Amino acid sequence: AAKRRGALIIAQVNPNMPHVLGDGIVDVDDIDIGVFVDASLPTASMPSPGPLARQIGDRVASRIRDGATLQVGIGAVPDAVVAQLPEDIHVGELLTDSIRLLDEAHTLDDRVVTGTFAMGTPALYEWLDDNPRVRLLRCETTNDPGIIAGQPKATSVNTALQVDLFGQVNATRVGTKIHSGVGGSTDFLVGAMHSPGGQALITMRSWHPKANRSTIVDTLDSPVSAIQPSVIITEQGTAELFGNSQNEQARQLIENTAHPDARDHLWQRAREFGLA
């Protein structure tokens, strides 16, 4: 696109970058100036999930079927999920060390592993380098809900900051301040919900220790990121949203996923809303 507008194409050339197949391949004839920069790549450690993350991971992994196409976010809970997956899984969007470990354990099926970006340890970058099993593609492809819906048993696993009694999800803001970009979570939620056998899972802890408050709330005080995924999963349990009435959704959110310290208040608000 820049070439068509007569722009100058300047490329940073870093020998530490892995050579990854896919849409990131650029022909040297398209480059006007190459700037050599020998710099270390940013890395992300792979901390061991704590007990709450492992509890959530157990519940999520038990719902993922053989042959599923999986999208997971980054963090302790997704890592805990990936560590306990069944065999014969395909993945999409973000590639992390947990995906590398799946491949090394021969848990992934024989389809090409696709993503749109990668972040992790030096071992991940070594695994990516010239790996014929991996393709990094433009997010217009990996995050296209129509393409996602065409994948077998597409399953998205994402986290959130809050979920309210109406099944609305806030994954981006704390009050009026942006905490995290939307990313691909909404794309994969829509795609997974339209995939035959697909499901969209929102995972989070039931209590936010720093804010000292419940993550299951009566109504959101921040903009809505998504509405009514398949299920909400916390260390307390699972709330089945898809296919249930508003009242049943609220009941399951309170009884199955909310922290015990928040349930009395949530029941009071549910009655005020006509949900109980």
Side-chain angles (χ1 to χ4, degrees):
K3 275 288 191 184
R4 286 196 298 269
R5 301 181 63 179
L8 190 68
I9 309 300
I10 303 174
Q12 178 175 300
V13 182
N14 188 343
N16 298 302
M17 279 288 289
H19 179 262
V20 187
L21 303 176
D23 292 341
I25 303 298
V26 178
D27 195 313
V28 293
D29 290 338
D30 290 329
I31 298 170
D32 297 307
I33 299 173
V35 181
F36 187 83
V37 179
D38 189 349
S40 298
L41 301 180
T43 60
S45 62
M46 195 177 178
S48 176
L52 293 186
R54 284 195 292 269
Q55 279 183 283
I56 298 170
D58 281 340
R59 290 193 170 94
V60 174
S62 69
R63 300 183 65 93
I64 299 175
R65 308 175 185 92
D66 282 354
T69 298
L70 179 67
Q71 175 260 333
V72 293
I74 192 169
V77 170
D79 282 347
V81 171
V82 170
Q84 300 169 75
L85 288 177
E87 294 186 356
D88 197 23
I89 293 290
H90 182 63
V91 297
E93 201 200 21
L94 169 62
L95 303 186
T96 64
D97 278 278
S98 56
I99 305 302
R100 170 182 62 83
L101 293 175
L102 279 184
D103 188 51
E104 292 174 351
H106 306 293
T107 297
L108 300 179
D109 64 18
D110 58 4
R111 286 178 288 168
V112 171
V113 178
T114 59
T116 196
F117 67 114
M119 185 75 174
T121 67
L124 173 68
Y125 302 144
E126 184 178 350
W127 174 75
L128 289 171
D129 191 39
D130 278 326
N131 189 338
R133 293 257 294 140
V134 178
R135 297 288 186 280
L136 288 186
L137 308 177
R138 292 165 61 92
C139 61
E140 290 90 338
T141 299
T142 60
N143 291 32
D144 183 331
I147 294 176
I148 297 165
Q151 304 305 307
K153 307 171 191 173
T155 303
S156 68
V157 182
N158 290 288
T159 191
L161 298 171
Q162 295 173 312
V163 174
D164 73 10
L165 296 180
F166 296 95
Q168 299 181 119
V169 179
N170 165 31
T172 58
R173 293 178 183 262
V174 177
T176 59
K177 295 183 179 180
I178 294 176
H179 173 78
S180 171
V182 174
S185 61
T186 52
D187 298 327
F188 278 88
L189 187 151
V190 172
M193 294 292 276
H194 285 81
S195 165
Q199 52 184 333
L201 314 180
I202 295 294
T203 66
M204 58 186 188
R205 293 172 174 83
S206 66
W207 193 266
H208 195 295
K210 290 184 179 178
N212 194 31
R213 61 181 297 184
S214 172
T215 57
I216 305 295
V217 299
D218 49 13
T219 55
L220 293 184
D221 55 8
S222 299
V224 176
S225 302
I227 298 175
Q228 294 184 329
S230 303
V231 301
I232 306 296
I233 299 175
T234 73
E235 80 283 357
Q236 304 292 331
T238 300
E240 304 279 352
L241 300 191
F242 184 73
N244 282 322
S245 68
Q246 280 195 132
N247 288 33
E248 178 61 16
Q249 289 178 2
R251 184 193 70 78
Q252 291 208 25
L253 284 165
I254 297 171
E255 291 187 357
N256 297 351
T257 63
H259 192 277
D261 291 349
R263 290 175 187 169
D264 287 346
H265 168 73
L266 291 172
W267 272 123
Q268 177 183 341
R269 295 292 283 164
R271 288 188 285 270
E272 292 172 8
F273 296 152
L275 296 175

